Amino acid sequence: MRLLSAIKFDIRFQLRHGFYYAYLLVSLIYILLIRLLPVSVRELATIFVVFTDPSVLGFFFIGGIILLEKGQNIFESLFVTPYRTWEYQISKLASLTLLAFSSSLVIVLATVGWRVNILLLTVGILLSSVLFTLFGMTLAFISKTVNDYIISSLVYMPVFFLPMLELFGIYKTPLFLLLPTKATLLLMQGAFSGISLLDFLYSISTLAVWIAIAWIWAQNWFHKYIILREGGVSK
Amino acid sequence: MKRAAVLLKGDIKNISRDPILAMSVIAPLLAAVGVRFLVPFASGLLLRELSFDLTIYNELIASTMLLVTPLMIGMLAGFIILDEKDENLLTYFAVTPLTKTGYLIYRMTFPIAAGFIMSFIMLEIMNLARLSFIALLPIMLMVSMEAPMAALLLGRFATNKVEGLALSKAIGIFLLAPIAGYFIKSNWQLLAGISPTYWVSKAFIAGINSQPSYWFYIAAGLVIHIIYIYMMFNSFESRQ
């Protein structure tokens, strides 16, 4: 299986570049900090941490990976082989989502334990990770440097984190329902305190629609900026 | 001076091309404004809902936030170094009259200056803790040294930008040292002193409470910062 060996290779690459060590360390710190908090707010803190860090780590890392491969002109040789762009994307999505999921699970189990609906939590993390890794891909295709990438992300990422205001009871608006992150939050909160069928269906379909759009977008820009190299992005 | 001017011209061109330098000014300002409004809000909420008094941690929050800015600026500078490394520009700089030392000094100057100035402004905006200018000065010296430290860490230990990203995640651990120094009451907390950030936060909090230990933390902190920078600077030079 070509795809399977691609995923294995990506995981090995990420291991070698210290992704797993970095997240082991980061997860341990989060666990320590959350356990310092009073029990009554640990659940909220755990949702906050998983939602803002591991569930979107794909976004953070995919930028570096694609920029490095772009700089090394890997794409040119990669896609003269039978390897397809969608396989490349699936492999990156799968490997980074595995890391996101492992880190999230460790944090949740070490802070609030098994009092959680693992299935719901998993669905939330997986969908969020896939979506944000796809977002990262589209941005990486048009970025020149890592700083470029980080700074552009600082401009529009905060919008996606707005539903956190609702999580902390600071500000409420039905407009948040349009954002995929509201759906992720509903799933994660649901994993702790239950979720209505309507909310569940809303969350799944919202994330699915966003992922479909992001997938098509990433595919397009992959061809436009990497395969056809419009706009002379690569050196 | 002329050599630096050439690099500076390149950087000014870069500001218009990618707004990194502007960002290292705007992001801390936004963070400081955020803290100014969110911390009192959170304090009120926690006191009402959980009768938990957050304000006793104001000095800790201020000293930790103070460290976020130079670390962030340092990481941005570190990624510039990594980009130049990936493009083999570093080797090129080394053989020009600029030399590698000159290159490093140049790359470190902006982060140090920006870290120094922004920290004063941030402290003023956050309005969480006050310290006299004289007492603040040596602390800010240490704070501004965090930036070159983060930059050198990335430039020295990451072989490319992907490792740089993983490492920048791990650099976040430096922000834990002040918290460990605050909550661990036994002498075990000195272990956190391996991280330079521990001394900044300790000196800051001792300074606010006018404890005599302030001078100890300043002296030890400055020595530790200088040793780290010296070691990493040398190791970066001989390695590349």
PDB file of all heavy atoms in Angstrom, chain B residues 7 37 51 62 72 107 117 180 186 201-202 208 217 229 239:
ATOM      1  N   LEU B   7      22.921  45.407   5.624  1.00  0.00           N
ATOM      2  CA  LEU B   7      21.959  44.446   6.153  1.00  0.00           C
ATOM      3  C   LEU B   7      20.665  45.142   6.554  1.00  0.00           C
ATOM      4  O   LEU B   7      19.574  44.648   6.311  1.00  0.00           O
ATOM      5  CB  LEU B   7      22.544  43.741   7.372  1.00  0.00           C
ATOM      6  CG  LEU B   7      23.361  42.474   7.117  1.00  0.00           C
ATOM      7  CD1 LEU B   7      23.750  41.854   8.442  1.00  0.00           C
ATOM      8  CD2 LEU B   7      22.565  41.476   6.288  1.00  0.00           C
ATOM      9  N   PHE B  37      -7.411  44.185  30.160  1.00  0.00           N
ATOM     10  CA  PHE B  37      -8.858  44.075  30.291  1.00  0.00           C
ATOM     11  C   PHE B  37      -9.316  42.707  30.770  1.00  0.00           C
ATOM     12  O   PHE B  37     -10.280  42.595  31.510  1.00  0.00           O
ATOM     13  CB  PHE B  37      -9.525  44.442  28.966  1.00  0.00           C
ATOM     14  CG  PHE B  37      -9.375  45.899  28.652  1.00  0.00           C
ATOM     15  CD1 PHE B  37      -8.477  46.335  27.690  1.00  0.00           C
ATOM     16  CD2 PHE B  37     -10.109  46.837  29.373  1.00  0.00           C
ATOM     17  CE1 PHE B  37      -8.311  47.686  27.434  1.00  0.00           C
ATOM     18  CE2 PHE B  37      -9.951  48.193  29.127  1.00  0.00           C
ATOM     19  CZ  PHE B  37      -9.050  48.622  28.155  1.00  0.00           C
ATOM     20  N   SER B  51     -15.074  32.289  44.673  1.00  0.00           N
ATOM     21  CA  SER B  51     -14.381  32.996  45.761  1.00  0.00           C
ATOM     22  C   SER B  51     -12.887  32.710  45.743  1.00  0.00           C
ATOM     23  O   SER B  51     -12.274  32.350  46.738  1.00  0.00           O
ATOM     24  CB  SER B  51     -14.959  32.696  47.140  1.00  0.00           C
ATOM     25  OG  SER B  51     -15.945  31.743  47.113  1.00  0.00           O
ATOM     26  N   ALA B  62       2.207  39.344  35.701  1.00  0.00           N
ATOM     27  CA  ALA B  62       2.972  40.411  35.057  1.00  0.00           C
ATOM     28  C   ALA B  62       4.363  39.916  34.674  1.00  0.00           C
ATOM     29  O   ALA B  62       4.825  40.144  33.553  1.00  0.00           O
ATOM     30  CB  ALA B  62       3.076  41.618  35.986  1.00  0.00           C
ATOM     31  N   MET B  72       9.044  35.569  22.121  1.00  0.00           N
ATOM     32  CA  MET B  72       8.408  35.557  20.806  1.00  0.00           C
ATOM     33  C   MET B  72       9.275  36.268  19.769  1.00  0.00           C
ATOM     34  O   MET B  72       9.497  35.753  18.681  1.00  0.00           O
ATOM     35  CB  MET B  72       7.033  36.219  20.889  1.00  0.00           C
ATOM     36  CG  MET B  72       6.201  35.992  19.648  1.00  0.00           C
ATOM     37  SD  MET B  72       4.941  37.258  19.451  1.00  0.00           S
ATOM     38  CE  MET B  72       5.895  38.594  18.770  1.00  0.00           C
ATOM     39  N   ARG B 107      22.050  40.215  13.838  1.00  0.00           N
ATOM     40  CA  ARG B 107      20.778  39.515  13.997  1.00  0.00           C
ATOM     41  C   ARG B 107      20.217  39.636  15.414  1.00  0.00           C
ATOM     42  O   ARG B 107      19.014  39.550  15.629  1.00  0.00           O
ATOM     43  CB  ARG B 107      20.931  38.028  13.659  1.00  0.00           C
ATOM     44  CG  ARG B 107      20.707  37.691  12.215  1.00  0.00           C
ATOM     45  CD  ARG B 107      19.244  37.633  11.849  1.00  0.00           C
ATOM     46  NE  ARG B 107      19.073  37.779  10.407  1.00  0.00           N
ATOM     47  CZ  ARG B 107      18.725  38.912   9.811  1.00  0.00           C
ATOM     48  NH1 ARG B 107      18.511  39.996  10.516  1.00  0.00           N
ATOM     49  NH2 ARG B 107      18.602  38.968   8.512  1.00  0.00           N
ATOM     50  N   ILE B 117      12.618  47.637  24.943  1.00  0.00           N
ATOM     51  CA  ILE B 117      11.652  48.741  24.889  1.00  0.00           C
ATOM     52  C   ILE B 117      10.220  48.239  25.088  1.00  0.00           C
ATOM     53  O   ILE B 117       9.443  48.796  25.866  1.00  0.00           O
ATOM     54  CB  ILE B 117      11.769  49.485  23.535  1.00  0.00           C
ATOM     55  CG1 ILE B 117      13.171  50.092  23.414  1.00  0.00           C
ATOM     56  CG2 ILE B 117      10.701  50.554  23.416  1.00  0.00           C
ATOM     57  CD1 ILE B 117      13.519  50.546  22.019  1.00  0.00           C
ATOM     58  N   ALA B 180       6.873  27.625  38.559  1.00  0.00           N
ATOM     59  CA  ALA B 180       7.471  26.687  39.518  1.00  0.00           C
ATOM     60  C   ALA B 180       8.119  27.453  40.669  1.00  0.00           C
ATOM     61  O   ALA B 180       7.974  27.097  41.839  1.00  0.00           O
ATOM     62  CB  ALA B 180       8.507  25.814  38.810  1.00  0.00           C
ATOM     63  N   SER B 186       9.744  24.783  48.686  1.00  0.00           N
ATOM     64  CA  SER B 186      11.019  24.255  49.175  1.00  0.00           C
ATOM     65  C   SER B 186      12.164  24.695  48.267  1.00  0.00           C
ATOM     66  O   SER B 186      11.950  25.321  47.234  1.00  0.00           O
ATOM     67  CB  SER B 186      10.968  22.734  49.222  1.00  0.00           C
ATOM     68  OG  SER B 186      11.000  22.221  47.910  1.00  0.00           O
ATOM     69  N   SER B 201      11.696  36.486  36.919  1.00  0.00           N
ATOM     70  CA  SER B 201      10.451  36.534  37.663  1.00  0.00           C
ATOM     71  C   SER B 201      10.707  36.700  39.165  1.00  0.00           C
ATOM     72  O   SER B 201      10.036  37.479  39.849  1.00  0.00           O
ATOM     73  CB  SER B 201       9.665  35.261  37.368  1.00  0.00           C
ATOM     74  OG  SER B 201       8.694  35.048  38.331  1.00  0.00           O
ATOM     75  N   LYS B 202      11.708  35.978  39.673  1.00  0.00           N
ATOM     76  CA  LYS B 202      12.052  36.073  41.099  1.00  0.00           C
ATOM     77  C   LYS B 202      12.470  37.500  41.468  1.00  0.00           C
ATOM     78  O   LYS B 202      12.027  38.054  42.478  1.00  0.00           O
ATOM     79  CB  LYS B 202      13.191  35.091  41.408  1.00  0.00           C
ATOM     80  CG  LYS B 202      12.691  33.705  41.681  1.00  0.00           C
ATOM     81  CD  LYS B 202      12.045  33.678  43.042  1.00  0.00           C
ATOM     82  CE  LYS B 202      11.399  32.336  43.301  1.00  0.00           C
ATOM     83  NZ  LYS B 202      10.682  32.316  44.572  1.00  0.00           N
ATOM     84  N   ILE B 208       9.166  44.096  43.828  1.00  0.00           N
ATOM     85  CA  ILE B 208       7.868  44.698  44.163  1.00  0.00           C
ATOM     86  C   ILE B 208       7.645  44.680  45.675  1.00  0.00           C
ATOM     87  O   ILE B 208       7.137  45.635  46.253  1.00  0.00           O
ATOM     88  CB  ILE B 208       6.743  43.948  43.426  1.00  0.00           C
ATOM     89  CG1 ILE B 208       6.761  44.353  41.955  1.00  0.00           C
ATOM     90  CG2 ILE B 208       5.390  44.257  44.049  1.00  0.00           C
ATOM     91  CD1 ILE B 208       5.797  43.615  41.119  1.00  0.00           C
ATOM     92  N   TYR B 217      18.856  37.878  43.427  1.00  0.00           N
ATOM     93  CA  TYR B 217      18.272  37.381  42.176  1.00  0.00           C
ATOM     94  C   TYR B 217      18.815  38.139  40.968  1.00  0.00           C
ATOM     95  O   TYR B 217      19.047  37.555  39.908  1.00  0.00           O
ATOM     96  CB  TYR B 217      16.749  37.493  42.214  1.00  0.00           C
ATOM     97  CG  TYR B 217      16.113  36.536  43.192  1.00  0.00           C
ATOM     98  CD1 TYR B 217      15.231  36.976  44.165  1.00  0.00           C
ATOM     99  CD2 TYR B 217      16.420  35.171  43.142  1.00  0.00           C
ATOM    100  CE1 TYR B 217      14.647  36.096  45.060  1.00  0.00           C
ATOM    101  CE2 TYR B 217      15.856  34.285  44.042  1.00  0.00           C
ATOM    102  CZ  TYR B 217      14.972  34.751  44.997  1.00  0.00           C
ATOM    103  OH  TYR B 217      14.405  33.879  45.882  1.00  0.00           O
ATOM    104  N   ILE B 229      24.267  33.116  27.139  1.00  0.00           N
ATOM    105  CA  ILE B 229      24.439  33.780  25.843  1.00  0.00           C
ATOM    106  C   ILE B 229      25.842  33.540  25.312  1.00  0.00           C
ATOM    107  O   ILE B 229      26.033  33.206  24.139  1.00  0.00           O
ATOM    108  CB  ILE B 229      24.168  35.300  25.973  1.00  0.00           C
ATOM    109  CG1 ILE B 229      22.697  35.477  26.322  1.00  0.00           C
ATOM    110  CG2 ILE B 229      24.547  36.046  24.700  1.00  0.00           C
ATOM    111  CD1 ILE B 229      22.013  36.612  25.676  1.00  0.00           C
ATOM    112  N   ARG B 239      29.867  25.914  15.329  1.00  0.00           N
ATOM    113  CA  ARG B 239      29.120  24.823  14.741  1.00  0.00           C
ATOM    114  C   ARG B 239      28.855  25.047  13.251  1.00  0.00           C
ATOM    115  O   ARG B 239      29.062  24.172  12.426  1.00  0.00           O
ATOM    116  CB  ARG B 239      27.808  24.655  15.522  1.00  0.00           C
ATOM    117  CG  ARG B 239      26.819  23.699  14.936  1.00  0.00           C
ATOM    118  CD  ARG B 239      27.328  22.259  15.005  1.00  0.00           C
ATOM    119  NE  ARG B 239      26.293  21.375  14.501  1.00  0.00           N
ATOM    120  CZ  ARG B 239      25.534  20.634  15.277  1.00  0.00           C
ATOM    121  NH1 ARG B 239      25.733  20.623  16.566  1.00  0.00           N
ATOM    122  NH2 ARG B 239      24.596  19.874  14.766  1.00  0.00           N
TER     123      ARG B 239
END
